[in-house]
Amino acid sequence: MTPALPTVSAALAAVLGLLGALLVVRVIVTRVRLGVNAGDGGHAVLAQAIRAHSNFAEHAPLAVLLLALAEASGAVRWAIIALGAVLVVARLASAWGLNHTLGPSQPRQAGAGLTLLVTVVASLLLLYRAAMML
């Protein structure tokens, strides 16, 4: 038997993969432009680009994994789509906020809060699905 691919989560992972690639390109271009090979060289713009990418790498994979597992366990499709859409908006807001300031900003705070919400809801959904299969 061939396992079914969680298609909604796969599409979500692809979209977020492209966002992650854009964040990496921004770091690379900024490093080349400033001539900095390691660290941020004391340049705020490079620190912002590095932090935006790092924040993405810290939070997006877990949320996508939880959504994929919830989808594979049979969670309702609309819930995965809704949570995935919220996650994309959250990661875009966070990336935008972090690329504009290292201090507090509404987009950054909204991105963090929405990403946490998706992670918690997806975790609870997955726990519910697991309990129903026992």
Side-chain angles (χ1 to χ4, degrees):
M1 181 169 115
T2 304
L5 177 70
T7 56
V8 174
S9 300
L12 172 64
V15 168
L16 290 175
L18 293 173
L19 175 57
L22 286 174
L23 293 171
V24 169
V25 167
R26 184 165 191 273
V27 171
I28 293 168
V29 167
T30 306
R31 281 190 185 287
V32 169
R33 192 185 65 197
L34 297 174
V36 177
N37 291 319
D40 63 21
H43 299 279
V45 68
L46 182 54
Q48 288 171 316
I50 292 168
R51 191 65 206 125
H53 174 259
S54 298
N55 185 276
F56 177 87
E58 291 166 359
H59 297 285
L62 177 60
V64 172
L65 176 63
L66 291 167
L67 288 172
L69 290 170
E71 183 179 2
S73 74
V76 292
R77 188 175 180 89
W78 67 262
I80 303 301
I81 292 170
L83 289 169
V86 170
L87 183 60
V88 168
V89 169
R91 294 292 79 212
L92 286 169
S94 181
W96 189 89
L98 282 165
N99 275 308
H100 286 83
T101 180
L102 287 173
S105 70
Q106 287 183 342
R108 182 179 179 186
Q109 292 169 341
L114 289 172
T115 299
L116 180 60
L117 176 68
V118 169
T119 300
V120 168
V121 171
S123 295
L124 293 173
L125 181 58
L126 188 53
L127 284 171
Y128 173 77
R129 295 295 309 158
M132 297 305 293
M133 292 180 178
L134 294 177

